[in-house]
Amino acid sequence: MKSIIEILKENDIAPSMQRIKILEYLQSYKTHPTADMIYQALADEMPTLSKTTVYNTLKTFTEKGVLMALSLFGNEVRYEYNTEPHIHFKCTKCDKIYDLDKSFDHYNDDLIDGHKITEHHVNLRGICKICLRKVGD
Amino acid sequence: MKSIIEILKENDIAPSMQRIKILEYLQSYKTHPTADMIYQALADEMPTLSKTTVYNTLKTFTEKGVLMALSLFGNEVRYEYNTEPHIHFKCTKCDKIYDLDKSFDHYNDDLIDGHKITEHHVNLRGICKICLRKVGD
DNA sequence: TACTTCTTTGTAACGATTACAACTTTGGAA
DNA sequence: TTCCAAAGTTGTAATCGTTACAAAGAAGTA
Ligand SMILES: [Mn+2]
Ligand SMILES: [Mn+2]
Ligand SMILES: [Zn+2]
Ligand SMILES: [Zn+2]
């Protein structure tokens, strides 16, 4: 598997400690965290880390295509390490985000009604299986 | 066609002047406006209107199912008067939002992997036909 | 070394939204 | 009618996520 430093270099991003740790975090935790969640998670290990650095880094990563930024019902942006196209489901009870591997037609690089499509997101909302079970109690 | 007052009453919402004007606006202008855009548009006609009222009203309408709230790439919520399921496309150049009538499998009321689906959004991003033409210049 | 550029940091500012408490309107009892 | 409780509206302050900015630090290069 490709190392984090290799991934960064391939994308013309200098591999600073901050950037390595942030990408490492997103590679390990597939929870679609917000910038703040990432900051909180790394703050112990890196006491001098600045939240601005987290935002800067996420911006850089997203622009270079290393990460995907998601807008999933709410006014905060969530990030994930880039993977195959997949569907997102967010539970209205517990706010957890699930990846669904259901297939769907995706139109990236297509032209629809004359518009050039560069991103395609399918976002579902509802009550997750765990919360459904709790409601039944 | 059903009157605005009828729509409100059917949904157990008392038809105040503010609520009528806000729903009227969303019925007439299919631009997926933000709360602030609605406020700005109505402020001339209703000088005492409060932005809080706009937020309260949009919340009520959304909870009652009169409106749909959309999260389309960005940290502000957009609203539209409820219609048939359709795809949204947002231009990264001009930020305009287009409705696309392309059909897609939608899973409302279905169960996927044990999760109960209540909302299904398909959001595309790219460069709209108008901005594509400008780029060519 | 000195210089340039990139990166990080802390603070302030910003935009969207919510909390809250006071005020106003409404729709029934009495 | 008059009175009151509930519902609705308003303005202000607070909060949250994010961005702007300028200073400080690190790294690379001649
Ligand atoms: Mn995902
Ligand atoms: Mn629409
Ligand atoms: Zn849940
Ligand atoms: Zn455009």
Side-chain angles (χ1 to χ4, degrees), chain A residues 114-126:
Chain A
H115 312 306
K116 184 179 171 57
I117 311 299
T118 57
E119 272 184 58
H120 184 154
H121 298 264
V122 178
N123 302 331
L124 309 185
R125 184 137 78 142

Side-chain angles (χ1 to χ4, degrees), chain A residues 78 89-98 126-132 134:
Chain A
R78 290 171 171 275
F89 169 79
K90 183 170 184 183
C91 177
T92 54
K93 297 282 180 197
C94 66
D95 280 340
K96 204 181 296 173
I97 293 165
Y98 293 79
I127 305 176
C128 80
K129 51 161 54 150
I130 295 172
C131 290
L132 277 178
K134 284 177 194 157

Side-chain angles (χ1 to χ4, degrees), chain B residues 8-71:
Chain B
L8 292 175
K9 282 181 175 166
E10 273 175 18
N11 287 280
D12 294 311
I13 302 168
S16 71
M17 186 54 67
Q18 290 82 343
R19 287 168 173 170
I20 291 169
K21 289 291 182 190
I22 289 170
L23 185 51
E24 200 171 67
Y25 183 84
L26 280 152
Q27 244 188 18
S28 318
Y29 298 95
K30 308 280 190 184
T31 53
H32 312 85
T34 62
D36 189 65
M37 291 171 187
I38 297 167
Y39 171 75
Q40 296 301 337
L42 298 180
D44 283 340
E45 201 185 345
M46 312 178 68
T48 68
L49 180 65
S50 162
K51 202 177 276 190
T52 300
T53 300
V54 176
Y55 277 104
N56 289 342
T57 302
L58 293 172
K59 184 158 186 267
T60 303
F61 285 0
T62 303
E63 283 167 1
K64 300 279 188 175
V66 176
L67 295 182
M68 180 65 76
L70 309 173
S71 297

Side-chain angles (χ1 to χ4, degrees), chain A residues 14 16 18-19 48-50 52-53 56 75:
Chain A
S16 71
Q18 289 82 343
R19 288 168 173 170
T48 68
L49 180 64
S50 162
T52 301
T53 299
N56 289 341
N75 39 318

Side-chain angles (χ1 to χ4, degrees), chain A residues 47-108:
Chain A
T48 68
L49 180 64
S50 162
K51 201 177 277 191
T52 301
T53 299
V54 176
Y55 277 103
N56 289 341
T57 302
L58 294 171
K59 185 156 186 267
T60 303
F61 286 0
T62 304
E63 283 167 0
K64 301 278 188 176
V66 176
L67 295 182
M68 181 64 76
L70 309 173
S71 296
L72 301 176
F73 313 106
N75 39 318
E76 97 271 82
V77 179
R78 290 171 171 275
Y79 295 88
E80 74 178 344
Y81 181 66
N82 226 343
T83 53
E84 294 303 298
H86 59 277
I87 292 180
H88 286 111
F89 169 79
K90 183 170 184 183
C91 177
T92 54
K93 297 282 180 197
C94 66
D95 280 340
K96 204 181 296 173
I97 293 165
Y98 293 79
D99 287 330
L100 304 185
D101 54 10
K102 214 159 195 3
S103 75
F104 63 100
D105 301 332
H106 54 100
Y107 297 115
N108 288 18

Side-chain angles (χ1 to χ4, degrees), chain B residues 32 80 86 88 99:
Chain B
H32 312 85
E80 72 178 345
H86 59 276
H88 287 112
D99 288 330

